[in-house]
Amino acid sequence: MLLDAVPFQDTIGLAAQLIRRAMPAMVLIPLGAAMLSPILAARSPRAARFFGGGALLLNFFLSLLVSNLVWWQGPIHYHFGGWAPPIGIEYSVDAVGAMMAPLVAFFALLSFASASRLEKEWTPSHGGAFQALYLLLSAGLMGIVVTGDLFNLYVFLEISSLSTYALVAAGEDRAKVAAFRYLIIGSVAATFWVFGLGYLYALTGTLNMADMAERLPAVIGSRAAVAGLAFIVAGLAIKMALFPLHGWQPDAYTYAPPGAMPFISAIMAKVSAYALFRVLYDVFLKAGPAGEALELLGWVAALSILAGSVLALGQRDIRRMLAYSSVAQIGYVLLGFSIGNAFAVTGALLHMVNHAVMKSCCFAALGAFRAKTGRADVDGVAGLAKEMPWTAAAFTIAALGIIGIPPLCGFFSKYYLIRGAVQASAWPFVAVFGVSSVLGTVYFFRIIESLYLRSADQGAKREIAPLSVIAPALLLAGLVLALGVFSQDVVGNFVPIIVGAGGPS
Amino acid sequence: MNDTRPLWAVLVSLAAVGPILLSDKRPNLREAWSFIAAALKFGFVVSLLPAVLAGGTPECKLLDLAPGIALHLRADPAGMVFALLASTLWIVTTLYSIGYMRGGKSPHQTAYFASFAVCVSSAIGIAFAANPLTFLLFFELLTVATYPLVVHNRSEEAVRGGRKYLAYTFIAAQCLLVAVVWSTFLVPGATFQAGGFLAASGATPAQLRILLLLFMIGIGVKAAIMPLHGWLPAAMVAPTPVSALLHAVAVVKAGAFGCVRVLVFIFGPSLLREIGMDWLIASVAAATIVGGSLRALGEDNLKRRLAYSTVSQLSYIVLGAALGSPAAIAGAIFHIAAHGFMKITLFFCAGSIYTRTHYTEIAQLAGLGKRMPITMGAFTLAALGLAGTPLLAGFVSKWNLALGAIHSGNEVFVAILVLSAFLNFAYFFPIVYTAFFEGDKGETVRFDETHVAVWLPPALTAVAALALGMFPDFFWSFYTLAWTAAKAATGLG
């Protein structure tokens, strides 16, 4: 009766209001869960796992609601403590944020199940800590996506980085060395960001992105503004692991706990790329054309694509190879941003989604291979297709997707990117995409050959990989196909088409 | 009007993949799936024939692949030729595969039949694709699905052949992707059009020349145009039914058909002449015709000789499409079907000989004509046909090609055709002679054919080649379809 009394329109309006108010909870839920879960874990690790999983599930639903509301009613802004933006801290989710937020929440949720399952066996002593760090990482990454404040973004960047250092260190073997190296390089990156921000703050007197975009045109020509941008881009380039600033990534990807890898490999670099997108497109390009800077970035991206692909060729360890492949693939995203027309930017954003799914699928499948044989090198997976046909098929589909075989999703982001490059007459970049795909074929088919054509090493350890480890790989492989076949729906409903962003077209 | 039959023709074999994989342990059930799918596919394709002959183009548009570009299937006369060929030969090849694979107790048969089904699906998709992006989608699907077939034996040599295949096709794939993207940028939303759609694009001749080269490299690898043919002989390590599939049904035919699509339906004869590329492409094709035949002469291994014969014969199709006169285009399109029937016969025979005797070299064939009269008889018919003997299918295509060469004012290519006919005789005649007229005279030879599933398919396809030579419109109406497409492309129809 009560519901009948309220007209339908008002119910919708009320729900929209609720979602607007609840938007910051996208960060607060995992943050709170991170605090609580070690306490719970001390009593019952099982309860803590369910609690963490529940929090991430809730977060995923919330992010979907927020994302839908943004598509329906436009950007959502939330002012902390009721303080209006230039003074207070603002959270804002626009179309691109509405794409990223569910992506982050989805991968956090997806690999949580397999992560806690794998880590329970491998690091029993600090199971609770592992979950806390994992939740903290998702809070940090989500924070980067939703914040509209550049300094707040720095805080979240650090939250996510610090929790990743600790997560990597929880791995086996040389993990601690890798984590320490990552810590040093990551701190340099963070410092760069603060440096750059300092310049910009000194020039404009604001930290809010929208506000800064308004104030920048007056000072855009100054050297301080250029230096500020340069520092920020350099800092993010380290976080994105662009060549030649990628040094930390292969080690970190290799020694990090395998359960966390589907999440880390899918989202970490993408969120940094997203931050770069915000700085470039929401702050600097709104202030004025930055053709030269973009073109320079384009060449950096091209170099990263080629170098990452070439370095991936020589790796025997599949995790390391995938890490170098990521160096190349994140270059695709940056190259799309720098070409800058509607097709290229759409392709770059679409590739953020697609690559997250494909690379995460590779790591999820690899985690299952590893759970079975204890090895993660090319020879270690020999002949596994016979014993694990589904997981091997999932890996193969993801690999073919990254190479860019239609109708898998990687093909379509490549299509948009090349379409953008052709439109901009950027022929060297067109060639770079082609060369990278050929190199991708070489390094991925080594593994596919090993999986399918070689016979298994009889003496190796053989255990049954748990379903919770295999299931995400299968789900993601299905997504690789679905996102490809329905790529137009993805582009129409999920990936915004950013038109007229300027750039050297 | 949305006629979904082209879609069903593509999907039915794709849908068979699941059941085939799941029937791994039950070979009879597994092969039953292949037969059911093959029969259904043939039914769908043939059911389209009356509409196409009546001048219609049944088509269906499905979901969008990119802004303004749908997954678009359309049965036009040229596509019908290829689709009819592929769906007909799939049935025969399935029958043959069963006999061959079980006879040889070949491993990995499930993977073989599954990949085979995907290949045939892609072939039909390529035939019916109405725009470049749809074409590309199926073309690359074919590339991937063929790989498991090439490496079928899992031997060191097979893996090497597979790598070579991947290297050629994936580099080509990048060229094709750029070409397709470029063409959709020049003429947004264009579909294949008899006579080409690029004429109105406003691109400069220099740009169009580069675009054409990208297309021809991208597709020419599969069509084994020299110097892009290196993977084909290396892929000969695969079992014979695979070679038959590669050479006659799907892979190289998809390449040759793709060349026709590019030269006649994207660029068109008049634009090709305008940018001065018709002569260049025709010359490369002519060089491949002669070069392939010369290499075939030098090979003593039967399958490798046949492989180089394929390299040579495929370029007849490219030559006809490049010359661009009505008869040349009709001859080219008809040769897609004619060569399919004849070459598959030859490979079936090679496989038949291998299963019975394990002979692979030509010198070993002495006296085999009396032991395996059906096999060697079929072989002789097909060989004569490929050389262009009247009353056989190869004569019809060559006659039209020669006419077309004269009409287009390039009489020199008639000389190439004649030279090639001599070379064909030169490399086929020794095989036939060795089989029938050499060997010990005194030895009592008895009839010694293999299983009926192995000797019947080549007999059938050889008879079909004969029928097509005497009645070019026999059953499939290949000749009418080819001429309809050619007339439309040159503005005669």
Side-chain angles (χ1 to χ4, degrees):
Chain A
M1 286 311 287
L2 192 67
L3 272 178
D4 287 344
V6 184
F8 180 68
Q9 282 304 320
D10 289 4
T11 326
I12 297 283
L14 196 68
Q17 273 305 315
L18 267 176
I19 296 170
R20 278 170 198 282
R21 295 276 167 86
M23 193 259 269
M26 285 202 289
V27 180
L28 299 178
I29 291 172
L31 197 62
M35 312 273 173
L36 289 176
S37 90
I39 303 171
L40 256 174
R43 290 177 170 269
S44 155
R46 196 179 147 77
R49 276 208 298 280
F50 276 101
F51 175 70
L56 290 174
L57 183 66
L58 183 66
N59 213 26
F60 178 52
F61 277 122
L62 181 60
S63 68
L64 282 182
L65 287 176
V66 168
S67 164
N68 269 313
L69 190 64
V70 171
W71 280 103
W72 182 38
Q73 292 191 335
I76 299 178
H77 301 277
Y78 183 92
H79 304 151
F80 266 92
W83 294 94
I87 300 185
I89 288 176
E90 179 195 34
Y91 277 11
S92 72
V93 179
D94 62 359
V96 186
M99 175 192 95
M100 285 302 286
L103 197 68
V104 173
F106 172 74
F107 280 101
L109 175 65
L110 183 79
S111 50
F112 186 75
S114 63
S116 30
R117 174 68 196 248
L118 283 175
E119 296 336 310
K120 189 179 66 172
E121 287 156 18
W122 288 345
T123 53
S125 54
H126 25 64
F130 175 84
Q131 279 176 47
L133 288 170
Y134 186 98
L135 289 165
L136 201 58
L137 172 61
S138 26
L141 293 174
M142 189 60 99
I144 297 174
V145 171
V146 299
T147 190
D149 184 285
L150 286 166
F151 191 78
N152 202 240
L153 198 152
Y154 164 71
V155 172
F156 284 122
L157 206 61
E158 279 298 82
I159 290 179
S160 62
S161 299
L162 287 168
S163 45
T164 317
Y165 306 149
L167 268 180
V168 171
E172 49 193 359
D173 220 358
R174 288 174 48 207
K176 283 163 191 72
V177 183
F180 188 70
R181 189 170 174 192
Y182 185 15
L183 171 73
I184 302 289
I185 300 178
S187 305
V188 171
T191 315
F192 278 3
W193 174 275
V194 181
F195 268 163
L197 199 53
Y199 280 114
L200 297 182
Y201 183 58
L203 281 175
T204 60
T206 183
L207 289 169
N208 183 281
M209 290 185 197
D211 200 33
M212 189 176 281
E214 278 171 29
R215 298 188 190 196
L216 256 185
V219 292
I220 190 78
S222 73
R223 281 194 184 168
V226 174
L229 178 66
F231 269 119
I232 284 182
V233 169
L236 285 176
I238 295 176
K239 294 275 178 194
M240 287 162 69
L242 278 173
F243 185 86
L245 309 172
H246 65 285
W248 60 271
Q249 183 166 291
D251 269 349
Y253 274 26
T254 306
Y255 299 115
M261 276 317 294
F263 182 41
I264 293 180
S265 67
I267 295 299
M268 280 290 286
K270 306 296 178 308
V271 165
S272 303
Y274 166 80
L276 183 63
F277 177 81
R278 294 293 296 263
V279 171
L280 282 178
Y281 278 75
D282 287 356
V283 178
F284 272 85
L285 286 178
K286 280 191 179 159
E292 280 174 26
L294 282 182
E295 194 169 346
L296 183 67
L297 272 185
W299 288 105
V300 171
L303 181 65
S304 194
I305 294 173
L306 293 178
S309 305
V310 169
L311 287 169
L313 289 177
Q315 308 303 324
R316 299 301 299 173
D317 190 310
I318 300 175
R319 296 166 295 184
R320 201 171 274 276
M321 188 211 86
L322 291 174
Y324 281 114
S325 155
S326 285
V327 171
Q329 298 286 319
I330 202 72
Y332 278 43
V333 175
L334 185 60
L335 190 46
F337 290 161
S338 76
I339 291 169
N341 53 39
F343 270 102
V345 176
T346 307
L349 295 175
L350 183 63
H351 198 61
M352 279 166 61
V353 178
N354 290 346
H355 182 251
V357 175
M358 298 184 293
K359 195 49 76 59
S360 185
C361 181
C362 285
F363 269 106
L366 190 61
F369 294 151
R370 228 183 132 208
K372 191 167 186 79
T373 64
R375 294 175 63 178
D377 55 328
V378 178
D379 301 319
V381 300
L384 268 183
K386 266 220 167 55
E387 291 166 77
M388 308 175 75
W390 293 98
T391 317
F395 185 92
T396 308
I397 288 174
L400 291 177
I402 294 176
I403 295 169
I405 303 295
L408 303 174
C409 63
F411 169 79
F412 290 93
S413 27
K414 219 172 88 183
Y415 173 85
Y416 280 92
L417 287 166
I418 294 182
R419 176 76 168 75
V422 167
Q423 187 170 330
S425 297
W427 301 110
F429 294 156
V430 174
V432 164
F433 286 124
V435 170
S436 159
S437 297
V438 171
L439 293 175
T441 313
V442 177
Y443 59 75
F444 272 117
F445 263 91
R446 277 190 322 161
I447 301 169
I448 294 172
E449 258 183 19
S450 180
L451 274 172
Y452 284 91
L453 303 184
R454 290 166 57 182
S455 43
D457 175 9
Q458 294 305 327
K461 159 189 161 192
R462 283 284 190 275
E463 286 170 14
I464 291 174
L467 182 67
S468 60
V469 179
I470 296 173
L474 299 184
L475 175 66
L476 289 169
L479 271 178
V480 171
L481 182 62
L483 288 179
V485 172
F486 301 107
S487 84
Q488 277 306 288
D489 296 311
V490 178
V491 171
N493 300 313
F494 192 55
V495 175
I497 295 176
I498 309 289
V499 187
S505 48
Chain B
M1 182 192 73
N2 244 359
D3 185 336
T4 51
R5 279 176 298 172
L7 177 67
W8 289 114
V10 173
L11 286 185
V12 66
S13 43
L14 216 49
V17 172
I20 289 174
L21 286 176
L22 292 176
S23 322
D24 186 26
K25 299 277 182 295
R26 302 171 63 188
N28 288 336
L29 181 65
R30 183 184 64 201
E31 268 77 296
W33 291 120
S34 283
F35 267 120
I36 292 168
L40 282 176
K41 183 187 283 290
F42 184 66
F44 281 123
V45 175
V46 169
S47 79
L48 287 164
L49 188 55
V52 175
L53 283 176
T57 51
E59 58 185 309
C60 62
K61 272 188 183 182
L62 296 125
L63 43 95
D64 275 359
L65 292 174
I69 305 172
L71 181 64
H72 190 171
L73 297 171
R74 178 166 66 193
D76 69 341
M80 270 312 279
V81 172
F82 184 37
L84 279 169
L85 173 78
S87 57
T88 309
L89 293 185
W90 189 27
I91 301 180
V92 215
T93 312
T94 307
L95 177 65
Y96 181 78
S97 304
I98 294 169
Y100 182 91
M101 297 298 233
R102 294 202 183 164
K105 300 199 173 43
S106 178
H108 318 298
Q109 291 187 31
T110 304
Y112 166 79
F113 282 103
S115 309
F116 197 166
V118 180
C119 280
V120 180
S121 263
S122 324
I124 305 288
I126 289 166
F128 287 154
N131 58 37
L133 195 57
T134 311
F135 180 89
L136 173 78
L137 194 152
F138 288 110
F139 204 71
E140 296 314 330
L141 199 59
L142 179 64
T143 306
V144 174
T146 307
Y147 174 73
L149 296 175
V150 175
V151 297
H152 181 88
N153 290 336
R154 312 290 198 266
S155 63
E156 197 68 24
E157 203 190 354
V159 171
R160 262 203 310 278
R163 285 186 188 156
K164 201 165 186 179
Y165 168 78
L166 284 179
Y168 275 88
T169 49
F170 274 70
I171 292 172
Q174 306 313 317
C175 297
L176 182 60
L177 174 59
V178 173
V180 166
V181 172
W182 197 356
S183 74
T184 59
F185 166 66
L186 288 174
V187 187
T191 59
F192 293 130
Q193 197 180 322
F197 64 72
L198 276 179
S201 68
T204 64
Q207 285 175 331
L208 288 174
R209 276 182 214 124
I210 297 172
L211 180 58
L212 178 64
L213 284 181
L214 282 173
F215 265 121
M216 290 309 285
I217 294 170
I219 293 175
V221 161
K222 282 220 180 68
I225 301 174
M226 279 181 174
L228 309 172
H229 67 287
W231 63 273
L232 189 55
M236 279 302 100
V237 293
T240 311
V242 172
S243 311
L245 172 86
L246 286 173
H247 283 261
V249 186
V251 180
V252 295
K253 257 330 130 48
F257 175 75
C259 290
V260 174
R261 274 286 188 239
V262 170
L263 295 171
V264 180
F265 292 82
I266 292 182
F267 281 81
S270 54
L271 182 64
L272 217 52
R273 218 163 302 142
E274 220 170 277
I275 60 173
M277 292 298 270
D278 58 336
W279 177 256
L280 179 72
I281 304 275
S283 304
V284 173
T288 308
I289 292 174
V290 177
S293 299
L294 289 176
R295 286 298 303 267
L297 269 177
E299 292 290 346
D300 291 327
N301 178 295
L302 181 56
K303 274 176 80 179
R304 287 182 68 89
R305 183 173 288 193
L306 295 183
Y308 278 108
S309 155
T310 304
V311 171
S312 161
Q313 292 282 332
L314 286 171
S315 279
Y316 281 66
I317 300 166
V318 181
L319 175 68
L323 288 175
S325 60
I329 294 173
I333 296 175
F334 186 79
H335 199 55
I336 291 176
H339 176 253
F341 279 98
M342 295 181 292
K343 191 46 73 58
I344 205 166
T345 310
L346 294 179
F347 272 102
F348 281 165
C349 292
S352 176
I353 294 165
Y354 179 77
T355 41
R356 174 49 80 212
T357 63
H358 287 272
Y359 292 161
T360 54
E361 305 302 309
I362 291 162
Q364 296 171 316
L365 304 183
L368 210 60
K370 291 184 188 110
R371 272 178 73 189
M372 308 178 72
I374 302 174
T375 303
M376 288 319 296
F379 190 97
T380 309
L381 265 184
L384 286 173
L386 277 181
T389 314
L391 293 185
L392 283 154
F395 174 74
V396 180
S397 32
K398 285 191 192 178
W399 175 258
N400 278 293
L401 282 171
L403 270 183
I406 296 166
H407 288 164
S408 68
N410 296 313
E411 286 83 357
V412 58
F413 291 111
V414 180
I416 297 283
L417 290 172
V418 173
L419 174 63
S420 166
F422 276 117
L423 288 171
N424 268 285
F425 275 116
Y427 64 75
F428 280 130
F429 185 69
I431 304 176
V432 176
Y433 182 82
T434 310
F436 281 105
F437 302 109
E438 281 185 14
D440 293 337
K441 296 283 188 237
E443 195 185 355
T444 41
V445 184
R446 58 188 178 80
F447 182 81
D448 189 22
E449 284 284 355
T450 40
H451 193 265
V452 59
V454 177
W455 64 255
L456 182 62
L460 287 177
T461 47
V463 170
L466 187 63
L468 283 175
M470 291 189 283
F471 311 100
D473 264 337
F474 178 74
F475 187 73
W476 299 273
S477 312
F478 284 134
Y479 198 64
T480 311
L481 289 170
W483 266 101
T484 313
K487 279 181 185 161
T490 47
L492 284 179

